[in-house]
Amino acid sequence: MRVTQALIPTLREVPAEADTISHQLLLRAGMLRRVAAGVYTLLPLGYRVVQKIERIVREEMNRAGGVEMLLPIIQPAELWYESGRWNVYGPELFRLKDRHDRDFCLGPTHEEVITDLVRQEVKSYRQLPLLLYQIQNKYRDERRPRFGLLRGREFIMKDLYSFDRDEEGLEISYRKMYEAYTRIFTRCGLTFRAVEADSGAIGGSDTHEFMVLADTGEAEIVYCTGCDYAADVEKAPCRAETKDACEEMLDTELVATPGARTVREVAEYLNVTPERIIKTLLYEADGELVAVLVRGDRNVNEIKVKNFLGVNQIEIALENGSEEKYGLPLGYVGPVGLKEKGVVKILADGEVRYLRNAVAGANRMGFHYRNVNPDRDFVVDNYGDFRVAEEGDSCPCCHQPLKMRRGIEVGQIFKLGTKYSKALGATVLDEQGNEIPIVMGCYGIGITRTMAAAVEQGHDEDGIIWPVDIAPFEVVIMAVNQRDSLQTEIAEKIYEDLRNAGIDVIYDDRTERPGVKFKDADLIGYPIRLVVGNRAVTDNLLEIKLRSTGEIIYKEKDEAVSYLREVLNRLRKDNNLT
RNA sequence: CGGGGUGUAGCGCAGUUUGGUAGCGCGCUUGGUUUGGGACCAAGAGGUCGGGAGUUCAAAUCUCCCCACCCCGACCA
C-alpha cells in the first residue's frame, strides 16, 4: 500500500474527547474516529489491525476444532422471552421494533440464537461435540461508554459455543479453549494472565478471564510468584493471619477520640497501628442491616459478603449525611453493643478473631473503646473470608507471596452447563434413547478491545509500539527526499521486492519532509522502518530501524529482504508457538 | 441514573465576567524557497459561535428549554 493512496489522517494534537492512552493514540494515528458515544469507525490502518487479530483467532479456533458461522445481529424478542433474558437483561439491551411493531434486539451475545439453531438441527449424541463460533459486531447499550474501544456500545467479538453430551465433554472443550486462548494472546504478542474469576450472574462453575497486563487496566489481579495461580482480586481467597493471638486480654476502656473518624486518624490519635483497629462497616443487604468487621488495614470485599449472604444487593449503609437514619455516628461504629442498635447480623473476617486488645468504635460520637476482644466483648455471627486480597498475601496454592497488577479483560471462558439448553429445550438422545440436555460452554474474545489493550500495553511518548503480528503493516519504507529520483527509484525497487517476498509493507511516498514521515511512523507504530537516504545512493546502504528498541542497522540493498525476514522472525520469536 | 464539566473553522484553544465588525496556533489551498526528526516567506479559503425560544436598537456573550460529548460515581459480561 502507498500512503498517498490510503486514508491515514494522523493528528498532531490530542483530541479533547480522549482521555485514555489507547483512545488518544488510535485517534492520533488515524486508525479510529468517533461517530457517536461508544460507536466508532475503523479507518484503513485500524481495520487492518482488527483483521490481523481476527485471523489469529480464526486459525486457533479452527485448530481447536471450531467451525465458523455467521449469526444475525438482529434477533427476535421471542428467543429472549424463552431464555428469560428479555426482562432480565435490562436497559443494556439495544431494543427495536419493526414496522409491524414486533420486538427485536441487537445481539449483545448469541446464546439464544445458537441454542435455537442447535435444538432444531442436532438430535443425537453422535453429532456432539460441536464447537461453533462467529466473529461479528455485538451491541451493549452501556450506561456510560468510555475509554474509546475499551468500552464501546458497538464492538467486535468472537464467541464460540461448545455443545457436549455431558460434563466430561464440557471439561475437554473448556480445556481446548483455554489452550487456544493462551495461544491466541501469545501470538498477538501480549503479556497476559489467565485468572480465576467470579462467575457472577451467568452462573456456572468454572470461569477464567484472560487479562492483558497494563497499568491502566480496570481490573485488579493477584498472581503468584511461585506457581501459576492468578485471580481477580474480587475472587482471590484470603488466609487469615493469626499473629497476636496469645496476648493477655485487658479490661475494656472507653476513650475520647474527638474528630478521629478514619482508621488512620484513630491510629494516630491513640498511637496504635491500623492492624490493631477493628474496622466496622454497615451494609444494607436486601434491606437488612449487616455489619462487616475487618482489620483496620484491610478492605471489605463486597462480592464475598454478597455471595456469603446469598442476597441480591448490598449497599454501604452509612454515608456522610445519612447518620440519622440508624442513629449511628459515622466513624465511631463498633461491634460492641451493635446488635441493640438494629444490626441483624455481624460478619467478621477471620483475622479479626485473632485480634487482642483492639480498638473499635463505641457507637457514640467522639468515642472509641480500647482493649476490645472478639468473643468476649461482642458476638460474631459468622467468621469468614470477607476481605480483599492484597499484595504480599500468601498464595492459596503454594503459600508464596502474591503480587498485584492491573489488567484489561480481553477474553473469558465459561462453563454454562445446561442453563440455556434446558430453557430452550436443546436436547439429544443418548445411546439408551434417553433425552438429555446438551451441556454448553461459551468463550468470548473482544477483538476491538484486544486491539485497544495492545496499545495500552505497547506505547511510548512517541506513539504506538505494535507487536509484529497485529501491526497494521510489518514494515514502512520511505525515501528521505521524495523529490530525489535517485532515492525514489531505490525505494520503489525495495518496495516491489518486499511485496514479492510476501512482507507486509507500506510505502510512505508523500513528498513530506522526512521529519513528518518519521513522526508519523513512530506514532502509527510500524515495527520496522526502512529509510532510503543519501547513503543508499552513495554507499548502497539502507537504514533499518526497530520501533520497539530504537536500534538502527545499515544493510546492503541486496541483503535487505532476507535481513528483514530475519528481523521479523526475531521480533516474533518470543511468541513462536510451533 | 446521581454529581461535575465542555460545546466557537478539520484539530487544539482564546473571546463570555462588563452585550457593540468572530480571533490565535496547527492543519488545508496557491506560488516560491527548502528536504535526516512535525521547515520558511507570501497570498488565500474555511464559521447557521451545539439547537430552539426569549430579552435588547444590538446576543458567542444575558434568560429559559432542549441536545450532544467528556469526567467521577453507581451499574454490568
Side-chain angles (χ1 to χ4, degrees), chain A residues 9-303:
Chain A
T10 55
L11 299 173
R12 198 179 282 239
E13 283 169 287
V14 182
E17 75 185 61
D19 225 37
T20 315
I21 288 171
S22 60
H23 194 192
Q24 291 177 350
L25 288 176
L26 290 170
L27 288 169
R28 287 191 56 212
M31 300 191 186
L32 188 74
R33 288 295 184 265
R34 189 187 66 82
V35 175
V39 180
Y40 297 90
T41 292
L42 284 165
L43 280 65
L45 287 188
Y47 192 45
R48 284 185 72 94
V49 174
V50 164
Q51 287 174 316
K52 290 202 173 182
I53 296 171
E54 286 181 349
R55 184 175 164 199
I56 292 171
V57 169
R58 279 201 175 88
E59 286 175 5
E60 294 301 334
M61 287 297 105
N62 295 346
R63 174 200 290 267
V67 181
E68 185 169 11
M69 55 193 299
L70 193 67
L71 297 170
I73 284 168
I74 298 181
Q75 304 180 10
E78 281 75 15
L79 285 177
W80 290 73
Y81 295 151
E82 271 196 83
S83 71
R85 289 208 294 183
W86 183 263
N87 293 320
V88 175
Y89 218 94
E92 284 215 343
L93 191 62
F94 260 114
R95 292 158 211 258
L96 61 150
K97 285 181 187 290
D98 69 5
R99 61 167 68 192
H100 306 295
D101 213 35
R102 286 191 284 248
D103 287 312
F104 289 84
C105 65
L106 301 181
T109 171
H110 286 73
E111 281 87 359
E112 280 80 0
V113 175
I114 195 110
T115 309
D116 176 52
L117 176 79
V118 168
R119 74 174 160 183
Q120 292 181 58
E121 311 303 334
V122 177
K123 305 291 182 196
S124 162
Y125 74 93
R126 283 184 290 190
Q127 290 169 279
L128 303 180
L130 203 49
L131 305 174
L132 301 173
Y133 76 96
Q134 30 99 244
I135 300 177
Q136 56 199 75
N137 285 1
K138 311 249 171 169
Y139 298 83
R140 264 181 224 161
D141 195 359
E142 293 278 351
R143 278 185 191 192
R144 179 142 98 85
R146 52 181 145 175
F147 310 137
L149 286 185
L150 286 172
R151 181 168 290 218
R153 295 194 291 175
E154 176 180 78
F155 48 94
I156 303 174
M157 205 142 146
K158 185 280 308 183
D159 261 325
L160 183 142
Y161 298 96
S162 68
F163 300 88
D164 284 283
R165 59 177 298 181
D166 52 26
E167 288 290 332
E168 279 170 36
L170 173 60
E171 182 60 35
I172 292 168
S173 296
Y174 189 84
R175 271 201 223 126
K176 277 185 188 164
M177 285 300 120
Y178 188 99
E179 280 166 32
Y181 275 41
T182 303
R183 294 179 60 93
I184 286 166
F185 296 118
T186 304
R187 286 184 61 188
C188 285
L190 298 168
T191 304
F192 68 98
R193 280 274 181 161
V195 307
E196 293 178 11
D198 190 69
S199 52
I202 206 162
S205 42
D206 277 345
T207 175
H208 284 84
E209 291 173 340
F210 286 76
M211 297 279 192
V212 167
L213 300 183
D215 296 337
T216 47
E218 299 177 81
E220 268 190 303
I221 63 175
V222 289
Y223 62 96
C224 181
T225 47
C227 70
D228 278 343
Y229 180 80
D232 196 308
V233 280
E234 292 177 348
K235 164 92 175 180
C238 301
R239 294 155 43 83
E241 290 181 30
T242 58
K243 55 187 174 187
D244 297 343
C246 47
E247 204 171 295
E248 194 184 334
M249 293 189 197
L250 304 176
D251 289 340
T252 302
E253 176 187 354
L254 186 68
V255 288
T257 51
R261 288 170 182 271
T262 64
V263 166
R264 186 191 295 184
E265 287 163 359
V266 173
E268 229 163 77
Y269 194 92
L270 295 176
N271 196 25
V272 296
T273 56
E275 296 98 82
R276 297 291 288 256
I277 295 176
I278 297 173
K279 185 152 77 178
T280 306
L281 289 152
L282 293 181
Y283 287 92
E284 266 184 56
D286 283 1
E288 287 197 330
L289 202 53
V290 174
V292 183
L293 315 182
V294 292
R295 239 169 53 182
D297 58 329
R298 306 298 197 186
N299 289 309
V300 171
N301 183 329
E302 296 183 6
I303 290 180

Side-chain angles (χ1 to χ4, degrees), chain A residues 464-498:
Chain A
I464 303 171
I465 304 172
W466 290 109
V468 177
D469 285 309
I470 63 172
F473 287 91
E474 293 166 342
V475 178
V476 60
I477 169 171
M478 64 181 75
V480 167
N481 185 348
Q482 187 68 22
R483 290 191 210 279
D484 180 339
S485 60
L486 293 175
Q487 289 184 15
T488 54
E489 269 169 34
I490 298 169
E492 291 280 354
K493 176 74 170 46
I494 302 284
Y495 175 51
E496 194 64 33
D497 290 349
L498 290 178

